[in-house]
Amino acid sequence: MSKKLLSVLLSTAMVAALLVGCGNSAAEEPAAATEEAAPAEEAAEEPAAEEEEAAPAAESNGTKVGVSMPTKDLQRWNQDGANMEAELKAAGYEVDLQYANNEPQTQVSQIENMISNGANVLVIAAIEASSLGEALDMAKAANIPVVAYDRLLMNSDAVSYYATFDNYKVGQVQGQYIIDTLDLDNADGPFNLEITAGDPGDNNAPFFYSGAMDLLQPYIDEGKLVVKSGQTAFEEVGTPQWKTETAQSRADNIISSFYADGTNIDVWLCSNDSTALGVETALANSYNGEYPIVTGQDCDIENTKNMIAGKQSMSVFKDTRTLATQVVKMVGQILNGEEVDVNDTETYDNGTGVIPSFLCDPVFADANNYKELLIDSGYYTEDQLQ
Ligand code: BGC
């Protein structure tokens, strides 16, 4: 896909995000919304990083960092939040960590509270890329630097820096895996492909999608990859809020409409693990053909178990410890007035200009290397993957 198409997609995503954001104007009690409880099944699967709490808190230097995370529903954000809290405390900062239950207005209220409580820096992983306008305006008026965490905050000039994984590369890793595994350059095919992408309100989602589709589109064009559902455009394959159930019901529909006669699906490109889980459940429920290649991202516990069991082919490991460490470093540099460590000053324009970014490297993961990547590195314990 061309850069032009990517930018069209990005604007579409931005408009969609704006619409959702504007419609969501009911004021909420911030206090009631803070620290929502994790669902019971999540609680049983707390990531290793959260249990360790390795580094002891250094004596507070009186500087406050507000950390706003989207939700506790997805495992990765629990890890991101816990890692950052531990590292920031170890560096001597006070930390105000809040999860916003995937409700944009709750996130606005929580950030406004952080500002009223004297936050010196804000680190924000947005639910909706463009829905935090009021809170970001307030941060700007109070001269509080804002670091966008993992997801870019769109259409606000209050954003100082962005730290993430290389989102386009995540998609490329998935697309290249499909090309290599099906041996698309040599095999005759045709192979049947279906596609499930991410949340149109998340600026990362079109990057994942186009990273993979830029590699796969030529094979679709030559007829070696066939999408029987006909659904290939980002707008058709997106999954609002990355919800597993939404991905599952769309997959259920595709299977019953196009593959009920036992026709094989050879590959299902899924942008991340929460959507892959939905597709895997749909495949288990209603699909009778040979099990397809299924891609993912994040190495969530359920998906890693599925990789070990042969129900998911690969994932992309984004070590949340690396990102947390990088952000803590950037926060320190900002607070000390030092030059801030960035490695990309071209890719991420949030509508007000390019935001200086640090892109961490995503890593290919599958059943062959998960032990080294996830267990030997202490990311998970072996028990968590039983
Ligand atoms: C993150 C992914 C995650 C997805 C759903 C994206 O913004 O980059 O790692 O799978 O959100 O939470």
Side-chain angles (χ1 to χ4, degrees), residues 74 76-77 150-151 202 204 208 242 272 297-298 318:
L74 290 192
R76 72 149 293 180
W77 302 113
D150 194 81
R151 297 171 170 175
D202 178 350
N204 289 350
F208 301 141
W242 297 94
N272 86 330
Q297 162 186 200
D298 292 330
K318 305 197 302 188

Side-chain angles (χ1 to χ4, degrees), residues 228-249:
K228 280 175 76 76
S229 69
Q231 297 169 21
T232 54
F234 180 74
E235 295 73 17
E236 296 170 305
V237 300
T239 311
Q241 295 218 338
W242 297 94
K243 283 211 159 97
T244 299
E245 301 71 29
T246 309
Q248 183 190 329
S249 65

Side-chain angles (χ1 to χ4, degrees), residues 47-58:
E50 211 160 7
E51 282 160 15
E52 278 169 19
E53 200 74 26

Side-chain angles (χ1 to χ4, degrees), residues 85-372:
E85 184 174 38
E87 291 211 26
L88 287 166
K89 281 187 176 163
Y93 301 117
E94 280 176 41
V95 182
D96 185 357
L97 168 65
Q98 307 287 343
Y99 290 86
N101 200 19
N102 258 341
E103 294 156 9
Q105 195 54 40
T106 300
Q107 191 164 37
V108 168
S109 307
Q110 290 179 339
I111 294 168
E112 287 176 351
N113 259 10
M114 289 173 190
I115 296 170
S116 311
N117 291 335
N120 298 94
V121 179
L122 292 168
V123 177
I124 301 172
I127 296 164
E128 293 279 354
S130 299
S131 64
L132 299 178
E134 308 159 45
L136 295 177
D137 289 348
M138 193 171 159
K140 193 172 181 214
N143 275 325
I144 302 172
V146 173
V147 180
Y149 184 91
D150 194 81
R151 297 171 170 175
L152 187 56
L153 294 156
M154 301 302 287
N155 305 316
S156 166
D157 62 0
V159 185
S160 316
Y161 295 97
Y162 179 36
T164 189
F165 285 85
D166 187 333
N167 297 304
Y168 187 79
K169 190 167 173 191
V170 169
Q172 285 181 309
V173 171
Q174 296 166 336
Q176 192 58 50
Y177 176 80
I178 291 170
I179 292 170
D180 293 344
T181 310
L182 290 177
D183 193 15
L184 286 182
D185 289 325
N186 299 305
D188 290 336
F191 299 102
N192 291 327
L193 162 76
E194 294 297 337
I195 303 158
T196 296
D199 181 358
D202 178 350
N203 187 61
N204 289 350
F207 280 90
F208 301 141
Y209 168 85
S210 53
M213 290 301 282
D214 285 354
L215 293 176
L216 298 177
Q217 191 64 47
Y219 300 97
I220 297 175
D221 292 344
E222 77 174 270
K224 216 174 242 191
L225 286 175
V226 175
V227 184
K228 280 175 76 76
S229 69
Q231 297 169 21
T232 54
F234 180 74
E235 295 73 17
E236 296 170 305
V237 300
T239 311
Q241 295 218 338
W242 297 94
K243 283 211 159 97
T244 299
E245 301 71 29
T246 309
Q248 183 190 329
S249 65
R250 181 170 162 267
D252 278 332
N253 280 338
I254 289 177
I255 293 168
S256 62
S257 309
F258 302 97
Y259 300 93
D261 60 357
T263 304
N264 281 341
I265 303 167
D266 297 290
V267 52
W268 205 306
L269 169 69
C270 298
S271 280
N272 86 330
D273 278 355
S274 63
T275 53
L277 209 54
V279 167
E280 286 152 24
T281 306
L283 289 169
N285 288 348
S286 52
Y287 173 66
N288 296 315
E290 273 175 46
Y291 203 83
I293 294 167
V294 180
T295 66
Q297 162 186 200
D298 292 330
C299 289
D300 281 351
I301 288 178
E302 281 314 310
N303 298 75
T304 306
K305 287 182 183 169
N306 278 357
M307 284 202 294
I308 298 166
K311 294 181 200 155
Q312 179 169 320
S313 317
M314 57 85 75
S315 190
V316 180
F317 181 44
K318 305 197 302 188
D319 193 330
T320 52
R321 296 168 298 190
T322 312
L323 187 56
T325 304
Q326 178 60 29
V327 169
V328 172
K329 183 175 171 190
M330 291 164 83
V331 165
Q333 289 165 334
I334 293 169
L335 288 168
N336 296 329
E338 294 163 6
E339 194 179 324
V340 176
D341 191 20
V342 294
N343 62 8
D344 183 293
T345 51
E346 285 174 7
T347 311
Y348 288 98
D349 188 327
N350 83 338
T352 66
V354 173
I355 306 299
S357 307
F358 190 95
L359 310 185
C360 301
D361 230 12
V363 176
F364 171 82
D366 71 358
N368 296 315
N369 71 354
Y370 82 92
K371 274 197 179 138
E372 189 190 327

Side-chain angles (χ1 to χ4, degrees), residues 34-103:
T34 56
E35 292 289 347
E36 100 237 17
E41 50 178 30
E42 288 284 338
E45 293 195 326
E46 290 292 285
E50 211 160 7
E51 282 160 15
E52 278 169 19
E53 200 74 26
E59 200 163 315
S60 165
N61 59 17
T63 305
K64 271 191 196 162
V65 183
V67 179
S68 171
M69 291 283 118
T71 175
K72 283 197 158 199
D73 286 352
L74 290 192
Q75 185 197 320
R76 72 149 293 180
W77 302 113
N78 292 284
Q79 270 160 286
D80 286 278
N83 289 338
M84 229 169 339
E85 184 174 38
E87 291 211 26
L88 287 166
K89 281 187 176 163
Y93 301 117
E94 280 176 41
V95 182
D96 185 357
L97 168 65
Q98 307 287 343
Y99 290 86
N101 200 19
N102 258 341
E103 294 156 9

